[in-house]
Amino acid sequence: MNKIVFNKIIIFVLLTFLNAELYQGEIIAKIGDHIIFENDVIERAEYTPRPLYCRGNSILDKKIIINTLIGEKLFSEELNELDIPENIDNYLIGRKNQKMRDVLFFDITNSSSIKTSQYSHWYQLADYEYDIKYLSILDEKLVNKIKNKIAEGIDLDSIYLNEGVSEKKLPIRQEIRIFNLDNYALRESLYEKVRYVGDIVGPIKTDDNVYMFYEIINSKKTINLSPNQQKITADEISELITKQSNEIFFRNYVENIMKGLSFKLNEDGFRYFSEYVKSWYERDKTVNLNLSYDNLEENVSNKVLLSLDDNPITINKILNWIKIHPLEFRNGYYEKMVFEIQLKYALADLIRDRKLNEEAKRIGLDRHPLVLREYEKWRDNYQAMKIRNDIIGNIKLNSIDVPIELNNFFKN
């Protein structure tokens, strides 16, 4: 293995980066053909687990983060021809595809035609906080039936009990504010106007054929008289309005992309697939990247799981898709559903994301600098860990006791 030639390295770490308000540039360091950007450091600080000795926000912590990234690039220079294992390559492709969809979102929403002025009333309503009880419906046929019962003066609790559910009371959500809602449809409905205790609202369509009725059980208004806090709140509302507008615009875009796509599950194949997935379904609702599918019998893996536009897709093909894009199970209301229904939604989301990947590639976003950099960044991380382990073995490192072999590698 050739030692690193340091005259290949152009490093200009900008100390003003340590004060984000003063430094607004993007490039932190260059190592050969590799570049470390400001956002790389931010992501390493915020989104990647850090060792115990580097979990603060001091100048030293920030230097360690930057040095770690520089070290990864230096190591990666040594391993440009490294064969990457299939499971790691699948992971890297998955990260790249996720970034590509992120770039697609920003690319599409930049052309948003939804006027943010339609949410201008939020500035007056943001001081309200509500407690609600709610009824979520999957069966579209029940919607009109429930609407009629509400019109007859029947309350939601009675409707809930009459539908033969096991719980005795409707689920309740408390202390709802405009900023802590992750459901854009509920936010838009709840903050359409001032709501009063006893108001029953609905149906609102929150997501794929999920309809909600809700009743206000508590309401209060808190006014902050501090001019500074009022300015902060107004700025936060402006950001929220932009976010809401973008989400709605992109949702409509996705619906147009998916329009006409035929998706039909094969009951027999889905039964086998569901049992198999349930056997490795983890608490954190993700797929273990090192999971082997080899123990699935061939006659089962070749069963048709679903059809897309009448094209049969086997269980084995879906499992190969999952190696790149782990199944993601929805949170919130969906967590209360039986596993098989949760799995159907996870499959639908997988197919949606693959369709968005195709659309992103069609307009050339697979060659976007941010997308290419995402792949390179995590490839460098893997290569750095691989070469480090080749030098010193798979041991735990700390800032005090650095193996002499690692120091010698950099000194020579």
Side-chain angles (χ1 to χ4, degrees):
M1 181 186 301
N2 295 328
K3 298 299 181 183
I4 297 171
V5 180
F6 279 93
N7 59 13
K8 287 178 59 182
I9 306 167
I10 307 171
I11 302 178
F12 47 99
V13 178
L14 302 175
L15 295 180
T16 48
F17 164 74
L18 301 176
N19 186 334
E21 292 182 354
L22 294 177
Y23 176 64
Q24 298 297 324
E26 287 193 3
I27 297 177
I28 304 300
K30 289 183 178 180
I31 301 92
D33 295 330
H34 301 283
I35 300 175
I36 296 173
F37 290 86
E38 176 183 356
N39 198 53
D40 296 328
V41 182
I42 293 172
E43 287 185 358
R44 179 56 58 91
E46 295 183 359
Y47 307 132
T48 306
R50 289 187 272 162
L52 290 173
Y53 59 83
C54 180
R55 291 189 178 176
N57 196 37
S58 68
I59 291 179
L60 179 60
D61 290 315
K62 293 174 181 177
K63 285 182 177 179
I64 291 173
I65 295 168
I66 294 173
N67 287 338
T68 299
L69 285 167
I70 291 172
E72 288 180 3
K73 302 300 183 185
L74 295 175
F75 276 140
S76 185
E77 287 281 300
E78 296 291 298
L79 289 175
N80 283 329
E81 304 301 322
L82 177 70
D83 289 332
I84 297 177
E86 181 183 2
N87 67 315
I88 299 298
D89 193 46
N90 286 335
Y91 170 75
L92 296 176
I93 293 172
R95 295 296 298 246
K96 180 180 178 181
N97 288 346
Q98 177 62 61
K99 178 60 72 172
M100 189 166 61
R101 293 193 297 274
D102 292 342
V103 173
L104 177 65
F105 175 85
F106 289 109
D107 188 63
I108 295 300
T109 55
N110 276 340
S111 61
S112 172
S113 60
I114 294 180
K115 296 180 179 179
T116 57
S117 59
Q118 71 184 72
Y119 299 110
S120 59
H121 55 285
W122 283 3
Y123 291 98
Q124 285 74 45
L125 300 178
D127 295 325
Y128 285 89
E129 180 180 298
Y130 299 103
D131 297 343
I132 67 171
K133 52 186 174 184
Y134 59 94
L135 174 60
S136 298
I137 303 294
L138 273 175
D139 188 352
E140 194 170 351
K141 296 177 183 178
L142 286 176
V143 172
N144 286 331
K145 181 180 177 182
I146 292 172
K147 284 175 62 177
N148 292 335
K149 288 185 177 182
I150 292 173
E152 294 171 5
I154 302 175
D155 59 61
L156 281 187
D157 284 310
S158 299
I159 295 172
Y160 189 56
L161 290 172
N162 290 337
E163 292 303 320
V165 296
S166 56
E167 291 93 345
K168 293 182 179 180
K169 293 182 179 180
L170 282 167
I172 291 175
R173 181 164 178 182
Q174 298 175 306
E175 299 179 350
I176 296 177
R177 298 190 68 242
I178 196 169
F179 299 111
N180 65 11
L181 273 173
D182 54 5
N183 186 315
Y184 70 86
L186 179 57
R187 182 192 295 126
E188 188 164 320
S189 172
L190 188 58
Y191 286 91
E192 180 183 15
K193 60 183 180 180
V194 177
R195 302 293 184 185
Y196 299 96
V197 174
D199 285 353
I200 299 178
V201 185
I204 60 171
K205 189 175 181 180
T206 62
D207 209 342
D208 301 328
N209 298 319
V210 177
Y211 295 86
M212 174 185 285
F213 295 85
Y214 63 90
E215 181 177 342
I216 307 297
I217 57 177
N218 190 35
S219 171
K220 69 177 181 180
K221 182 178 182 180
T222 304
I223 300 177
N224 195 311
L225 298 179
S226 166
N228 288 338
Q229 186 58 49
Q230 288 176 356
K231 175 65 168 58
I232 292 172
T233 300
D235 290 342
E236 289 175 342
I237 294 171
S238 296
E239 292 178 6
L240 186 64
I241 288 174
T242 299
K243 182 175 182 288
Q244 179 93 354
S245 301
N246 288 342
E247 285 179 352
I248 292 175
F249 187 80
F250 192 70
R251 179 204 62 183
N252 294 336
Y253 170 81
V254 173
E255 287 181 353
N256 287 330
I257 292 293
M258 302 297 290
K259 187 179 296 182
L261 179 67
S262 172
F263 168 37
K264 185 178 180 181
L265 284 169
N266 178 285
E267 290 186 10
D268 184 47
F270 182 72
R271 178 167 51 84
Y272 282 101
F273 180 74
S274 178
E275 292 174 357
Y276 184 64
V277 171
K278 203 168 187 177
S279 68
W280 47 254
Y281 178 61
E282 299 178 342
R283 282 188 177 181
D284 62 354
K285 301 187 176 124
T286 60
V287 178
N288 185 339
L289 288 171
N290 296 316
L291 182 68
S292 172
Y293 304 124
D294 297 337
N295 61 335
L296 189 63
E297 295 179 10
E298 184 175 350
N299 64 324
V300 175
S301 64
N302 288 328
K303 283 183 177 293
V304 173
L305 173 58
L306 55 88
S307 296
L308 287 178
D309 289 338
D310 297 326
N311 296 317
I313 308 294
T314 64
I315 290 175
N316 187 58
K317 190 166 188 176
I318 292 291
L319 291 174
N320 285 327
W321 290 358
I322 293 172
K323 289 179 180 179
I324 294 175
H325 184 311
L327 286 177
E328 297 176 356
F329 290 80
R330 299 184 184 184
N331 297 321
Y333 170 73
Y334 298 93
E335 293 176 293
K336 300 177 182 178
M337 298 178 181
V338 297
F339 177 78
E340 287 72 20
I341 296 180
Q342 291 188 57
L343 182 57
K344 289 179 183 180
Y345 279 111
L347 282 171
D349 291 345
L350 171 64
I351 292 168
R352 176 206 61 205
D353 284 352
R354 286 182 59 84
K355 196 72 176 176
L356 290 175
N357 290 345
E358 293 175 6
E359 182 65 15
K361 289 178 181 178
R362 186 186 68 80
I363 60 179
L365 295 184
D366 56 327
R367 300 183 299 276
H368 192 282
L370 286 175
V371 175
L372 298 177
R373 193 193 315 165
E374 183 76 4
Y375 181 90
E376 177 188 282
K377 176 174 63 181
W378 293 106
R379 182 200 62 199
D380 289 348
N381 175 261
Y382 165 75
Q383 291 182 331
M385 298 304 100
K386 176 67 170 62
I387 191 172
R388 186 196 69 186
N389 292 344
D390 288 344
I391 297 169
I392 62 173
N394 190 15
I395 65 172
K396 291 185 178 181
L397 296 174
N398 61 63
S399 60
I400 300 175
D401 185 20
V402 177
I404 189 172
E405 296 88 352
L406 199 58
N407 272 332
N408 288 339
F409 183 83
F410 280 99
K411 287 179 180 178
N412 294 336

